[in-house]
Amino acid sequence: MTTPLSHPTVTQKDVAKLARVSQAAVSRWTSGRGYVAADVRERIEKAVSELGYAPHPLAQGLSSGQSDIVAIVMANITNPWYPVVLERITQALQALQLQVLLFNATPPQSVDDVVPDVLRYRVRGAIITTAALSSTAAQQFVERGIPVVLFNRTTRTGGVHSVSCDNTDGGRTAADTLIKSGARHVAFLGGSSESSTSTDRLRGFTQQLHEWDRTLVATVEGEFTYEWGFQAIQKLMEAHPEIDGIFCADDEIASGAMDALRYNMGKRIPEDIRILGFDDHPIAAKAAYQLTTIRQPVEDMIQQSIDLLLHGEIAKPSTQLLKGQLIVRGSV
Amino acid sequence: MTTPLSHPTVTQKDVAKLARVSQAAVSRWTSGRGYVAADVRERIEKAVSELGYAPHPLAQGLSSGQSDIVAIVMANITNPWYPVVLERITQALQALQLQVLLFNATPPQSVDDVVPDVLRYRVRGAIITTAALSSTAAQQFVERGIPVVLFNRTTRTGGVHSVSCDNTDGGRTAADTLIKSGARHVAFLGGSSESSTSTDRLRGFTQQLHEWDRTLVATVEGEFTYEWGFQAIQKLMEAHPEIDGIFCADDEIASGAMDALRYNMGKRIPEDIRILGFDDHPIAAKAAYQLTTIRQPVEDMIQQSIDLLLHGEIAKPSTQLLKGQLIVRGSV
DNA sequence: CTGTTAGCGCGTTCAC
DNA sequence: GTGAACGCGCTAACAG
């Protein structure tokens, strides 16, 4: 029995001919929509496996207007938290027979820059894990009926869903944790001041500090990188040597701060100074850091995102806020 | 002046009607192939900008058989070296107006599992950054004329290109570096024994050790993870307490080993024991590790990969081997 | 239940 | 140079 496994492009027409049915019947079979009698189905299935037929998703999309491609717009792939996000998302999507088209929006490129491209592809939906997109860009999606989910970002922009950790609540937890561990003079080492992620965390932190009748000694904002955390902490400590507790907007910043503190300034953690991060990314668990942090519920966030993408109503944008979880290690 | 910016799906036909030319003329204009008179071109361009027309890549692909999508198959996104690879690749590809379709091949899923999917999409080419694919899978690509580049993996499989660091050479450098720094009893902490990456590094290491009249005290192989490095080093040191120099198959393993050595076994690095890694991923530069390592020439590797993808001949598979560079920090 | 017909948006002959 | 006509692989009406 010869197996002509993979000749160049076998189409529905080929299957139809071999099975002696119409091409439309084959289409009904592949799509699962419409009726196909038992004997016809058998002949089709036989032909399909004989020819090694596989539907062409791009052609399917063209005629149905329904793509099975989901766009993911990312900027901070280098920040170790995002790879885990990306990995989980692609896995979840692949399990649903959806494919991931990846768009990079690293600094020279902004989210708005790549929007035209993702639009051109008539994607099924878009997950955006980077700075909030402009309202005009958002509108482009809405007009075309393409669902958008902002991941790890909140927004007031109309028409787009958003899923993120309850950063304000996390900020409060951070304050409690730091104070209870004995910190008396605390500061905040933020990420970008334009990201809701950073500002929300700061807000909750400040609020809760207030509850304890403590005030924030200092706040510095920059970017979500190791390097920035490393530099910023030094200036911060010069200006405010009394600081003995620091809440960092994410674990990357925290790891930079810890390294500067330990290896450049000879501080002990947590004896001299307590450090708290956010995310719980892979590095936080390493023995060299043992960073106490607030873990984002990645799995749930992804599940929600995909749910909204597939079943959410564009007309009623939803904002999901999931609680983070304090992971106690050795840095407080 | 009304700007009907983004009505649902404006096509070549719409442009043609507005410009009072044929749809074929518009097609020639967008593709740049074929002749278009000056006045016609002007009318088209005017209509295009008025309507905000953008070609539909999927339809382009359908009729031309040429896709502008490149598949990237990855497994180890969580290993910090790969995100930087992914970031660079997507940037380079996007600059060329090519889009990235990402496929995840994490353990339950193997490369061969996702091959059918990437095939279905009639992609322009595929870059595979994970375990070598089976020869039957490779053949599927060849039959369809889809160029494949194995990134960071070598192969004897026919029809696929491969770009990687000269791992054998890197292994030799590792031996030299360790020995010159005074190590007398060296061991190798490998990654997966099935990856050419790990075995090539080991081979060069062993060879060069031989040149120095030294033998390898021990070799252990497992996986390219922090956790494995952390555990493996402990067993290794129990069995061979005399070890004072270790070459790790990658920086992830090395960081795990360093942590275990320092925080579980009270060893000093590099005084008591010297550690050498491979890759030069972000963590290696952190103050907490200061890992001496062999940097892979990522930029060049990516450039070569894309070159082969776009201009390489499938009939003559090419194997590129690029030299790594020793980055001296504090761990030897 | 099935086959026929007509598109989806675009590239590509081939006459004019 | 240009446009009419056809086909890429598939879905979605429509009659029968």
Side-chain angles (χ1 to χ4, degrees), chain B residues 28-43:
Chain B
R28 289 191 204 98
W29 180 82
T30 51
S31 68
R33 279 181 290 273
Y35 298 92
V36 180
D39 60 326
V40 171
R41 187 185 52 214
E42 278 177 25
R43 294 216 303 279

Side-chain angles (χ1 to χ4, degrees), chain B residues 4-322:
Chain B
L5 254 172
S6 42
H7 273 293
T9 54
V10 18
T11 74
Q12 286 190 346
K13 201 200 294 185
D14 302 324
V15 176
K17 189 160 55 180
L18 185 62
R20 283 171 296 118
V21 296
S22 76
Q23 173 262 337
V26 182
S27 173
R28 289 191 204 98
W29 180 82
T30 51
S31 68
R33 279 181 290 273
Y35 298 92
V36 180
D39 60 326
V40 171
R41 187 185 52 214
E42 278 177 25
R43 294 216 303 279
I44 292 180
E45 284 171 354
K46 187 158 172 288
V48 163
S49 71
E50 248 175 73
L51 295 172
Y53 167 76
H56 187 166
L58 272 35
Q60 279 179 292
L62 183 57
S63 61
S64 71
Q66 269 281 327
S67 160
D68 59 354
I69 295 180
V70 172
I72 298 192
V73 182
M74 273 209 171
N76 324 307
I77 316 191
T78 302
N79 182 323
W81 187 67
Y82 285 95
V84 349
V85 171
L86 186 55
E87 171 155 294
R88 299 287 213 289
I89 290 188
T90 54
Q91 285 181 169
L93 252 22
Q94 279 179 204
L96 265 44
Q97 293 291 325
L98 295 172
Q99 303 302 326
V100 174
L101 201 58
L102 184 64
F103 291 88
N104 194 325
T106 320
Q109 296 260 322
S110 80
V111 187
D112 283 19
D113 288 337
V114 302
V115 164
D117 282 317
V118 5
L119 249 23
R120 283 172 359 115
Y121 275 86
R122 272 72 161 173
V123 295
R124 175 78 155 272
I127 298 181
I128 299 181
T129 72
T130 187
L133 73 173
S134 70
S135 52
T136 65
Q139 188 162 359
Q140 312 254 54
F141 284 105
V142 175
E143 285 178 0
R144 287 169 173 73
I146 299 177
V148 173
V149 176
L150 255 40
F151 187 92
N152 199 27
R153 294 285 184 283
T154 58
T155 180
R156 282 157 290 98
T157 311
V160 310
H161 303 291
S162 121
V163 174
S164 69
C165 185
D166 189 334
N167 291 310
T168 314
D169 181 74
R172 283 191 217 102
T173 305
D176 286 344
T177 311
L178 241 28
I179 298 299
K180 284 184 190 164
S181 78
R184 308 187 55 84
H185 308 282
V186 299
F188 178 71
L189 222 51
S192 159
S193 57
E194 289 158 25
S195 83
S196 63
T197 310
S198 192
T199 55
D200 287 352
R201 289 170 191 174
L202 173 57
R203 184 182 319 120
F205 190 59
T206 316
Q207 282 175 4
Q208 194 66 8
L209 241 32
H210 207 76
E211 296 291 317
W212 289 90
D213 274 327
R214 291 277 166 59
T215 67
L216 196 54
V217 174
T219 298
V220 203
E221 306 205 292
E223 35 183 80
F224 292 99
T225 63
Y226 173 89
E227 289 73 21
W228 189 78
F230 195 92
Q231 293 165 19
I233 189 75
Q234 310 197 49
K235 291 183 193 156
L236 195 63
M237 295 304 287
E238 274 176 32
H240 308 276
E242 76 276 20
I243 289 175
D244 60 359
I246 298 189
F247 175 37
C248 301
D250 86 338
D251 291 347
E252 254 321 78
I253 297 176
S255 68
M258 286 180 80
D259 278 0
L261 248 13
R262 281 175 169 161
Y263 305 108
N264 267 16
M265 313 169 63
K267 298 280 189 181
R268 292 167 307 162
I269 298 169
E271 294 81 356
D272 299 332
I273 189 164
R274 296 146 197 84
I275 304 274
L276 198 65
F278 212 116
D279 284 354
D280 190 33
H281 78 203
I283 291 175
K286 298 200 174 188
Y289 293 101
Q290 285 299 308
L291 178 62
T292 295
T293 189
I294 293 165
R295 174 184 295 166
Q296 297 210 51
V298 182
E299 302 291 352
D300 290 349
M301 287 168 69
I302 291 178
Q303 201 49 59
Q304 297 268 8
S305 299
I306 296 183
D307 251 39
L308 283 173
L309 206 65
L310 266 34
H311 314 297
E313 295 178 41
I314 298 185
K316 301 189 213 150
S318 152
T319 300
Q320 301 289 327
L321 237 47
L322 309 183

Side-chain angles (χ1 to χ4, degrees), chain A residues 22-314:
Chain A
S22 78
Q23 176 260 343
V26 182
S27 174
R28 290 193 204 96
W29 180 80
T30 52
S31 69
R33 281 180 289 273
Y35 300 91
V36 180
D39 60 326
V40 171
R41 187 185 51 215
E42 279 178 23
R43 296 215 302 279
I44 293 180
E45 284 171 354
K46 187 158 173 289
V48 163
S49 71
E50 246 175 73
L51 295 171
Y53 167 76
H56 187 166
L58 272 34
Q60 279 178 289
L62 184 56
S63 60
S64 71
Q66 270 279 331
S67 160
D68 59 353
I69 295 182
V70 172
I72 297 192
V73 183
M74 274 210 171
N76 325 307
I77 316 190
T78 303
N79 183 321
W81 187 67
Y82 285 96
V84 350
V85 171
L86 186 55
E87 171 155 292
R88 300 287 214 287
I89 290 188
T90 55
Q91 284 181 172
L93 252 23
Q94 279 179 207
L96 266 45
Q97 292 292 324
L98 295 172
Q99 302 303 324
V100 173
L101 201 58
L102 184 63
F103 291 88
N104 193 325
T106 320
Q109 296 259 322
S110 79
V111 187
D112 283 20
D113 288 337
V114 302
V115 164
D117 282 317
V118 6
L119 249 23
R120 283 173 357 116
Y121 275 87
R122 272 79 160 166
V123 294
R124 173 79 155 271
I127 297 181
I128 298 182
T129 72
T130 187
L133 73 173
S134 71
S135 52
T136 65
Q139 188 162 359
Q140 311 254 56
F141 284 104
V142 176
E143 285 178 0
R144 287 171 172 72
I146 299 178
V148 174
V149 175
L150 255 40
F151 187 91
N152 198 28
R153 294 286 184 281
T154 58
T155 181
R156 284 155 289 96
T157 311
V160 309
H161 303 291
S162 119
V163 174
S164 69
C165 185
D166 188 336
N167 291 310
T168 314
D169 182 75
R172 283 191 217 103
T173 306
D176 286 345
T177 310
L178 242 26
I179 299 299
K180 283 184 192 162
S181 78
R184 308 186 56 83
H185 309 282
V186 300
F188 178 71
L189 222 52
S192 159
S193 57
E194 290 158 24
S195 83
S196 62
T197 309
S198 191
T199 56
D200 287 351
R201 288 169 192 176
L202 173 57
R203 183 182 320 119
F205 189 58
T206 317
Q207 282 176 3
Q208 194 66 7
L209 241 30
H210 208 74
E211 295 291 315
W212 288 90
D213 274 328
R214 292 278 166 58
T215 67
L216 197 55
V217 173
T219 298
V220 203
E221 306 205 292
E223 35 183 82
F224 292 99
T225 62
Y226 173 89
E227 288 73 20
W228 189 77
F230 195 91
Q231 293 165 20
I233 188 74
Q234 310 198 49
K235 291 182 191 157
L236 195 63
M237 295 304 288
E238 274 177 32
H240 307 277
E242 76 276 20
I243 289 175
D244 60 0
I246 298 189
F247 175 37
C248 301
D250 86 338
D251 292 346
E252 253 322 77
I253 298 176
S255 68
M258 287 180 80
D259 278 0
L261 248 14
R262 282 175 167 159
Y263 305 108
N264 268 16
M265 312 168 63
K267 299 278 188 182
R268 292 166 308 162
I269 298 170
E271 293 82 356
D272 300 331
I273 190 165
R274 295 144 197 84
I275 304 275
L276 199 65
F278 211 115
D279 284 354
D280 190 32
H281 77 205
I283 291 174
K286 299 200 175 189
Y289 292 100
Q290 285 298 310
L291 179 60
T292 295
T293 189
I294 293 164
R295 173 185 296 167
Q296 297 210 52
V298 182
E299 302 291 352
D300 290 347
M301 288 170 68
I302 291 176
Q303 201 49 59
Q304 297 269 8
S305 300
I306 296 182
D307 251 38
L308 284 173
L309 207 66
L310 267 35
H311 315 297
E313 295 178 42
I314 297 185

